[in-house]
Amino acid sequence: MRRGLFFCKVFEQIFRVIRVQGTKRAIKTPGHERSLTQIKFNADGDLLFSCSKDSVINVWYSHNGERLGTYDGHNGTVWTVDSDPSTELMVSGSADNAMKLWQVSTGKCLYTWEFPTAVKRVAFNEEGTQIVCITEQRMGYQCAIRVFKINRDEPTKQSKEPLHMFNPIGSKATVCAFTPTPHVIITGHESGKVALFNVKSGEEIENNERAHSDVITDLQLSKDRTYCVTSSKDKSARIHDTKNLMVIKTFTTETPLNSAAIAPNKPYILLGGGQEAMSVTTTSLRQGKFETRFWHKVFEEEVGRVKGHFGPINTIAVHPHGSMYASGGEDGFVRVHHYDDSYFKAKPYGDVEIID
């Protein structure tokens, strides 16, 4: 069989599985009064954290969408949230210029860090011993990246001063994460740049100025942290090597993207976005492009879409074991999609078996 015809048949099969029967009826969770900003599964995948512009953080059971509890304490939009590998601690960043450390099991706020400007992104390292955060450039203050060491023995007693702090040169950072290399973080910027920084010295080790041509809206790492996917307002998503920032794959759409996630155990990238919220009232669901898009991460072809949201998709998260995914939208809903058996039986490479 010719190569082109083979790929065509493979895509046709995947598209049919995802589009028609790839996900069961979504679990719709109306737990927020305003648009979602970020959702995140814990390391085991049994819990899903969500934060929004209503200043509330929710935690849900991922298997049935039941709300387990809320974390009240912020006085502004909660932009970002992350949990540690053991799901004992959770960290959040908000427009109230605060970063808070929470005890997951009780909902108790253990510690609060205060900053001059809003906290736009937070992330734990792989061991759960450090947190990196980005504070916004505003009111004469520069964009700053800080790394805090977490006192796990006495969580209520944290150092107010960061372990490391620096101001990225040039375009302000919007997203960040720890890489597998010690003391090195990867950042995405407002200009579309992707960079690697040594947090000890604040030195920019490597950069790709042309990674994107507009604001980078999301950055998510693969399971082994050797590569990451970024989404951008330039209507594209890209996979980068986290060691040298080489662009490995590019996925180009016709709509601004707000989030991108990597599906483990399957060769798919999930993308979410849509027309800007201010134009939504005059736009039909189909025209607004409010679907979650599945792309084959090797062949760089779109293979399916899942509808559901009544506005732009702001954030996407995939279960660590790849059994489901969740999306959060401008409409204030979190939608949890469990995959049918057909999704796991699909052969994205035809009869060739690939072990992830």
Side-chain angles (χ1 to χ4, degrees):
M1 186 184 290
R2 295 196 309 275
R3 183 175 181 269
L5 183 59
F6 166 73
F7 283 168
C8 185
K9 286 186 177 295
V10 171
F11 291 140
E12 184 182 342
Q13 178 193 32
I14 301 166
F15 184 89
R16 187 171 62 250
V17 169
I18 293 177
R19 184 67 177 272
V20 180
Q21 56 184 156
T23 63
K24 298 177 183 176
R25 186 185 176 96
I27 299 170
K28 197 174 178 182
T29 59
H32 292 282
E33 295 177 358
R34 297 188 64 192
S35 55
L36 273 292
T37 50
Q38 192 177 15
I39 54 176
K40 203 79 180 274
F41 282 99
N42 68 337
D44 294 327
D46 58 330
L47 299 179
L48 177 67
F49 296 93
S50 65
C51 57
S52 89
K53 292 182 179 179
D54 62 6
S55 77
V56 174
I57 304 166
N58 285 325
V59 59
W60 317 82
Y61 286 116
S62 61
H63 71 282
N64 62 3
E66 180 186 342
R67 181 160 57 180
L68 175 60
T70 60
Y71 301 85
D72 293 314
H74 282 295
N75 296 312
T77 295
V78 183
W79 289 115
T80 176
V81 67
D82 195 19
S83 65
D84 73 344
S86 62
T87 321
E88 293 174 25
L89 303 174
M90 184 263 287
V91 64
S92 60
S94 170
D96 63 5
N97 302 351
M99 181 172 76
K100 290 181 180 288
L101 187 69
W102 308 83
Q103 189 171 43
V104 172
S105 58
T106 64
K108 180 184 175 185
C109 180
L110 300 171
Y111 196 82
T112 300
W113 290 270
E114 298 284 349
F115 304 106
T117 58
V119 182
K120 299 295 293 219
R121 194 74 165 195
V122 295
F124 273 100
N125 66 348
E126 206 168 5
E127 296 78 29
T129 56
Q130 293 183 1
I131 293 171
V132 61
C133 76
I134 295 175
T135 53
E136 203 171 20
Q137 178 178 318
R138 187 164 286 185
M139 299 180 297
Y141 291 98
Q142 286 183 283
C143 169
I145 295 177
R146 297 173 175 85
V147 174
F148 291 88
K149 186 176 180 181
I150 300 303
N151 181 357
R152 299 190 67 91
D153 297 326
E154 295 183 84
T156 56
K157 296 180 180 177
Q158 304 293 337
S159 170
K160 279 191 179 294
E161 296 303 314
L163 191 62
H164 310 294
M165 176 184 167
F166 64 94
N167 303 105
I169 300 168
S171 174
K172 70 179 183 181
T174 53
V175 290
C176 63
F178 285 97
T179 70
T181 309
H183 314 300
V184 175
I185 63 165
I186 183 168
T187 58
H189 296 252
E190 199 173 44
S191 65
K193 176 177 80 170
V194 175
L196 293 173
F197 285 94
N198 182 315
V199 293
K200 278 188 166 182
S201 63
E203 176 194 356
E204 188 175 273
I205 304 167
E206 192 74 60
N207 74 62
N208 182 348
E209 293 280 357
R210 297 182 180 178
H212 288 279
S213 59
D214 206 339
V215 182
I216 294 178
T217 51
D218 196 10
L219 183 152
Q220 296 193 31
L221 295 168
S222 63
K223 199 170 184 178
D224 60 3
R225 297 181 180 241
T226 57
Y227 66 93
C228 69
V229 63
T230 56
S231 62
S232 171
K233 292 292 185 185
D234 69 2
K235 304 181 181 180
S236 73
R238 288 194 165 96
I239 292 178
H240 311 264
D241 187 309
T242 55
K243 198 165 188 179
N244 57 22
L245 302 185
M246 182 178 75
V247 175
I248 302 169
K249 295 289 177 181
T250 299
F251 314 96
T252 305
T253 70
E254 70 280 8
T255 185
L257 296 176
N258 297 326
S259 190
I262 300 166
N265 311 321
K266 289 286 181 181
Y268 303 134
I269 298 294
L270 282 68
L271 308 180
Q275 185 180 343
E276 291 296 331
M278 65 183 74
S279 308
V280 167
T281 52
T282 59
T283 307
S284 72
L285 292 180
R286 184 64 187 168
Q287 286 177 319
K289 319 292 184 194
F290 306 140
E291 302 117 328
T292 300
R293 295 145 179 266
F294 286 71
W295 284 68
H296 198 292
K297 74 179 178 186
V298 177
F299 301 148
E300 298 176 295
E301 291 282 346
E302 186 174 349
V303 297
R305 298 184 185 185
V306 177
K307 297 179 183 178
H309 285 284
F310 294 95
I313 294 171
N314 294 337
T315 174
I316 292 177
V318 178
H319 190 283
H321 304 146
S323 59
M324 68 184 85
Y325 82 92
S327 56
E330 192 73 21
D331 56 9
F333 287 100
V334 177
R335 296 178 67 88
V336 182
H337 296 260
H338 292 257
Y339 295 121
D340 275 343
D341 289 340
S342 56
Y343 171 83
F344 303 104
K345 291 176 182 174
K347 296 182 176 181
Y349 296 103
D351 292 327
V352 180
E353 289 294 328
I354 303 292
I355 300 173
D356 196 354

